[in-house]
Amino acid sequence: MMAKTIKIQDTRNIGIIAHIDAGKTTVTERILYYTGRSHKLGEVHDGEAVMDWMVDEQERGITITSAVTTCPWRNRDIHIIDTPGHVDFTIEVERSLRVLDGAIGVFCAVGGVEPQSETVWRQADKYRVPKLAFVNKMDRIGADFFRTVEMIKTRLKANTLLLQVPLGSEDTFLGVIDLIRMKAVVWDDDTLGASFRDIDVPEEELARATDFREKLIETVAEVDDALMEAYLSETPIGPEMLAAAIRKATIDLKLVPVLCGSALKNKGVQPLLDAVVDYLPSPADLPPMQGIHPDTGEPVDCPPADNKPLAALIFKVAMIEARKLTFVRVYSGRLEAGKEVYNPFRKKKEKISRLLQMHANKRERLDVAGAGSIVGVIGLKDSSTGETICSADNPVILENIEIYEPVISMAVEPKTHSDQDRLQEVLEKFVDEDPTLRVQQDADTGQMILSGMGELHLEVIISRMRREFNTQVNVGKPQVVYRESIEQSAQGAAVFDKEVAGQRHFGEVRLLLSPLARGTGNRFVSKVGETVLPPVFVKAVEKGVMESLESGTVMGYPVVDVEAVLVDANYKDSQGSELAYKVSAAMACKEALASGNGFLLDPIMRVEVFVPEEFMGEVIGDLNARSGKIEAIEPKIGVQAIQAVVPLARMFGYSTSLRSATQGRGTFTMQFSHFDRA
């Protein structure tokens, strides 16, 4: 179906961001209900929220994947992305913020600014996204609006602007006082919050509300010259003039308007929608998106207009009912169903078979999507997250989305033969969908290793594998692949003298094995002249030695950092053969390894841990207990970065213990450094 044409000025692309359990999904559910998008209120605790449509989300009561929906309010089209709050799904928030024009930060009036709120707020700052703050759960015992606002100021360094103050608190929370219009807004409980009315500000609240309105005007006047002029000349400042100044300051990232309510008790959501329309930008209010020309590297502007060349960014790929659905933000030009588009990253043309207006996992067909739209596309076979689609005549590459390196791995293996065939295919689909997921086959153990952002992340992938793709797998901790070396020099000698297939094979060698410095690798040196042993057989000896070093005598792991010297050899004319010298070299090498005092080498990881100052002692103590060596501590904005080297075997389960030691505020990255004795 063809959607009604909406002017770009009447579009809002917003995301709802917050710490886990601040009430993001409940706020979104209320928005859908009051805008007429859904006809009943879905509750997260009943597993009935429209936006948490995945079975794993319903069971766990958390958001795992960003859901996209569109709803109307005051003749505007609001595209909303409800993002996850759990740190394991940070990429979902990152890629959503990359394509949004505005965000609503939801804060719990009891918990205040929680750790993951800091992370997502910083991500929004990175992409320069204008924000509103909504203090939720005002009906809860211990709710404190002003303490939460103070935390937003100090922890998030936000210049807050109170547009409302609560009317009552905890179980007496009735509604809000709108400081711009100087009216109190109260909700009727019997209509599930759908009807509300303006009343005069109660007598006992009037003086306090007047003070707050005065502060509101002063704060806006500080960042708006026209308002400052009116304020100083004591000209009356009406709601329209004030709203226009707030809108400009919000879009310029100078102010963060703050509202409050209780989404669960159906209070405060409609004024929040009004604020989205009044203060958050449409795509036309923002500077044009900048890309680069794929061939010349020149900057290219992509203005938000339908009559310009197409430029759109793929920000997410989802497998829904085993079909590839690509989520696209159109920055410039128009996307049309049935038309060809060009992917400059892969230098390929692709055909758009269908365009969809998304509503969580339900969808409506569209013929055309204009600039500023966020839509689902079916038909893009090769394009993936972070890539651009554009017109072939005007190619452009938009800035890619930063991908995080995975920090935790587990081994997976198929349960049955039929799962074996399906596993590879299913894992490829998940990797397409989620750029933070890696799959590799361990060359040493043959295990399939799955790496991701945290234990919950991998748990959800395994659960979806079983549920959505009916693929049964056994899951285990991956084996640490050690290396071996020797402590002292040792000699080994061997003779091979046998008749094989009617031909005599003879070879005799003496080898000296010596340890080398860490990280040198293995090397072979021959100290016998060509008269003693022809070069063709020296090559065979080298091959035998190198093959023998592939498995040591301690536990069968590869041997590293060893020099093998061929010190002597015996050669019989017409009986010498490559096979004989190769086998005798391998036997001599094994004998020398057995006498060389072999030992294991651990894979040592370079770990960087980011922690708030107050948890430093505990985190350093934990790293020391894991045989870690602290190399440096660097102060960064709001956190300390600890650099250390730690044996991989001691790092399993670290993400969980770091989270519990830092109240979920610590994060870490880990990469292989070298092999060494632990």
Side-chain angles (χ1 to χ4, degrees), residues 29-43:
E29 293 299 320
R30 297 306 181 262
I31 289 174
L32 296 180
Y33 182 67
Y34 300 135
T35 55
R37 209 55 180 91
S38 52
H39 302 295
K40 74 188 250 281
L41 287 177
E43 301 295 6

Side-chain angles (χ1 to χ4, degrees), residues 440-447 449 477-484 550 555-560 600-605 648-649 652 672 674-676:
Q440 66 195 65
Q441 188 125 20
D442 191 304
D444 299 279
T445 63
Q447 282 179 311
I449 305 289
K477 278 189 177 171
Q479 293 288 312
V480 176
V481 180
Y482 296 96
R483 293 287 183 269
E484 295 182 17
E550 281 173 19
M555 283 177 73
Y557 289 110
V559 180
V560 292
L600 286 182
L601 290 170
D602 282 71
I604 306 293
M605 309 304 282
L648 174 62
F652 289 124
F672 173 75
H674 62 283
F675 282 98
D676 208 345

Side-chain angles (χ1 to χ4, degrees), residues 333-347:
R334 288 151 58 98
L335 265 184
E336 293 181 50
K339 291 279 175 78
E340 270 195 347
V341 291
Y342 178 64
N343 179 337
F345 186 77
R346 297 183 185 265
K347 296 191 166 28

Side-chain angles (χ1 to χ4, degrees), residues 389-677:
I389 52 175
C390 56
S391 63
D393 310 337
N394 294 278
V396 60
I397 291 180
L398 300 171
E399 172 200 6
N400 207 332
I401 294 168
E402 202 173 305
I403 300 300
Y404 291 79
E405 285 304 311
V407 293
I408 188 166
S409 309
M410 61 165 59
V412 292
E413 56 184 39
K415 272 192 177 167
T416 66
H417 190 66
S418 63
D419 294 324
Q420 169 90 49
D421 303 337
R422 215 179 296 132
L423 181 63
Q424 193 71 40
E425 192 186 313
V426 170
L427 287 174
E428 275 171 21
K429 284 181 177 169
F430 279 124
V431 172
D432 264 355
E433 186 177 308
D434 184 347
T436 56
L437 196 67
R438 302 285 155 86
V439 177
Q440 66 195 65
Q441 188 125 20
D442 191 304
D444 299 279
T445 63
Q447 282 179 311
M448 191 74 81
I449 305 289
L450 198 58
S451 313
M453 297 302 292
E455 285 161 75
L456 177 66
H457 184 199
L458 295 181
E459 238 175 73
V460 167
I461 294 291
I462 298 296
S463 163
R464 288 184 60 199
M465 208 182 275
R466 291 172 177 155
R467 192 172 262 145
E468 291 173 33
F469 294 95
N470 198 18
T471 305
Q472 301 306 315
V473 288
N474 293 323
V475 177
K477 278 189 177 171
Q479 293 288 312
V480 176
V481 180
Y482 296 96
R483 293 287 183 269
E484 295 182 17
S485 196
I486 54 171
E487 242 170 348
Q488 60 191 44
S489 297
Q491 285 208 14
V495 179
F496 184 86
D497 188 0
K498 276 193 179 156
E499 194 171 299
V500 180
Q503 193 185 343
R504 197 91 197 145
H505 290 266
F506 175 84
E508 182 179 353
V509 295
R510 178 177 296 281
L511 296 171
L512 171 69
L513 260 54
S514 309
L516 294 171
R518 281 298 142 262
T520 313
N522 294 333
R523 63 172 178 243
F524 172 79
V525 179
S526 169
K527 288 200 172 164
V528 298
E530 286 186 19
T531 50
V532 179
L533 191 67
V536 61
F537 297 137
V538 173
K539 273 265 175 261
V541 171
E542 181 177 358
K543 203 171 176 192
V545 167
M546 289 308 176
E547 280 180 14
S548 180
L549 291 177
E550 281 173 19
S551 68
T553 52
V554 184
M555 283 177 73
Y557 289 110
V559 180
V560 292
D561 304 334
V562 165
E563 180 182 65
V565 181
L566 175 61
V567 284
D568 198 9
N570 195 357
Y571 173 65
K572 286 184 181 172
D573 237 357
S574 77
Q575 286 187 9
S577 76
E578 285 181 49
L579 170 74
Y581 283 103
K582 187 178 157 189
V583 175
S584 59
M587 286 156 57
C589 186
K590 279 279 182 275
E591 185 186 310
L593 284 175
S595 328
N597 267 3
F599 60 87
L600 286 182
L601 290 170
D602 282 71
I604 306 293
M605 309 304 282
R606 183 163 300 290
V607 179
E608 192 167 16
V609 191
F610 301 92
V611 285
E613 184 84 54
E614 60 264 40
F615 304 112
M616 285 278 288
E618 205 170 329
V619 170
I620 288 173
D622 182 44
L623 286 170
N624 288 334
R626 292 171 187 270
S627 314
K629 205 160 79 193
I630 309 295
E631 293 191 329
I633 297 173
E634 264 178 60
K636 301 243 166 125
I637 298 172
V639 290
Q640 298 281 337
I642 304 167
Q643 285 159 10
V645 286
V646 192
L648 174 62
R650 306 298 299 274
M651 285 301 287
F652 289 124
Y654 183 63
S655 54
T656 310
S657 55
L658 176 65
R659 257 183 229 142
S660 56
T662 61
Q663 296 172 10
R665 290 166 68 186
T667 56
F668 77 104
T669 62
M670 176 167 83
Q671 62 195 67
F672 173 75
S673 171
H674 62 283
F675 282 98
D676 208 345
R677 286 185 104 155

